[in-house]
Amino acid sequence: METLLHYVWKHKLYENVELLTEEGISFEVIDPGIYNLNAGPDFFNAKIRMDGKTWVGNIEIHTVSSDWYKHRHEKDEAYDSVILHIAETIDADEICDTTGRVIPQWRMKIPERIQNGYLFLLNNDASIPCLGKIAEIPEIYWSDWKSALLIERLERRTNALFQLLQERKNDWNEVFYITLSRNFGFGINNDAFERLAKSLPLKIIRKHQDSITQVEALFLGQARLLEETESGDVYFSELQKEYAFLSKKYKLNPLESHIFKSLRIRPNNFPHIKIVQLAGIIRNKQGLFSNVLAFSELEPLYSLFISETAEYWLTHYRFEKTSVKRVKNLGLSAIQLLIINTVVPVFFAYGKYKNLKTYTERALRFLESLKPESNSIITLFSRSGVPLHNACDSQALMQLKREYCEQKKCIYCRIGHQLLAKGTEIG
């Protein structure tokens, strides 16, 4: 409940009409201060006018005032700068700092509608607790919030990419290769594809890029899809022999068996097909990341995701079982997803790393040019009346759902704030 008290203080939503301390002293809040998420008082540099004087200092908030002593703040000099102690329930007559100074106390009343709305959102099991009310929010609030959410998402991804860059000794080609590989899992197999790329260094693939068979053998062998002992499939046997030789040469350790999921997946998304498609893209594009960086427009970039596979895969989705002859190229929607989840975040991170706005701006421009993603999360928001114009919007809503709705951080969400602060009946 302290979180709600912080929220009410920060936005001055308290019910109290006349502000009086427990000692009966009238005061006025000039500035509630800066919310502190780290150790120390809850709000820094607040400003209040009390008893004809202006006080500048920190604010500490508790559910019950005796928590001041429970948390031993009276022995912590970090709290000597507190000018007002706030609690929902006052059960300690006097609060002192390390010097013995008595700190004014104030009982803050939370409006019933805000408390009820907050508890409803917090205890609602729906994946988006305020789903039935979000259509009431004017688009201008959505527009500003989605812009902030998009940058938040890109910054979060940038931090993850910087960590990967450090692990890969500042090799952007490896970073792009691993990120692209992960996104070839298209959700269900993301972790497996990332582990596959990390188990098979790019420098090894480059040494064999003239041979489709050898590159496919490396990828499929590392994924443990070449382990059947008896097979009349000629190409399968050829791949087995190649992998046996190459894995010994490079001392490769294959992944655990069965980490790639294929249950309830359409044939075009079978692990075998996705792996050889990935292998074809990596094999054909010497310096893949430098090639990607050269594209300033979106449409020509699609050509980089055309994959050349062995002829065998024209009539197979997996080993031995033949199928109708069909070229197994990625569809347009799949390529767009790879651009959204690979090219855009890597461009944004690269621009931040090199301090080059060209690439961060290009990342945003690509998103603006792409259609919104189509998935269950986006469908929920769309059906509830949330405006969707492009991939910027869908990326923002993914961030909203995962970092706010699922985490029950409704009072940190601008939409949740609008609903609570404006008196909307939520529950």
Side-chain angles (χ1 to χ4, degrees), residues 31-53:
D31 186 340
I34 302 168
Y35 192 29
N36 173 36
L37 295 174
N38 301 310
D42 295 315
F43 288 84
F44 289 143
N45 299 323
K47 187 183 291 186
I48 62 176
R49 186 172 289 113
M50 182 186 301
D51 202 17
K53 297 178 182 179

Side-chain angles (χ1 to χ4, degrees), residues 287-298:
L288 179 59
F289 181 58
S290 57
N291 283 342
V292 171
L293 281 179
F295 286 90
S296 59
E297 299 299 327
L298 184 62

Side-chain angles (χ1 to χ4, degrees), residues 279-349:
I281 292 173
I282 301 300
R283 186 186 77 84
N284 285 338
K285 309 297 187 300
Q286 176 73 16
L288 179 59
F289 181 58
S290 57
N291 283 342
V292 171
L293 281 179
F295 286 90
S296 59
E297 299 299 327
L298 184 62
E299 292 295 331
L301 187 59
Y302 292 172
S303 63
L304 287 180
F305 294 93
I306 295 174
S307 175
E308 181 186 350
T309 64
E311 189 174 349
Y312 174 88
W313 299 107
L314 292 173
T315 54
H316 291 79
Y317 287 100
R318 57 179 63 184
F319 292 116
E320 293 189 333
K321 297 180 180 179
T322 58
S323 62
V324 176
K325 188 174 183 179
R326 174 182 288 178
V327 176
K328 309 295 195 304
N329 278 332
L330 291 168
L332 180 61
S333 61
I335 292 174
Q336 289 176 339
L337 281 175
L338 290 173
I339 292 173
I340 290 170
N341 292 306
T342 304
V343 176
V344 166
V346 174
F347 267 18
F348 193 86

Side-chain angles (χ1 to χ4, degrees), residues 29-30 43 64 77 97 175 188 226 248 327 370:
V29 180
I30 301 170
F43 288 84
V64 293
E77 292 181 355
D97 64 13
V175 169
I188 193 169
L226 298 175
K248 185 176 181 180
V327 176
L370 289 165

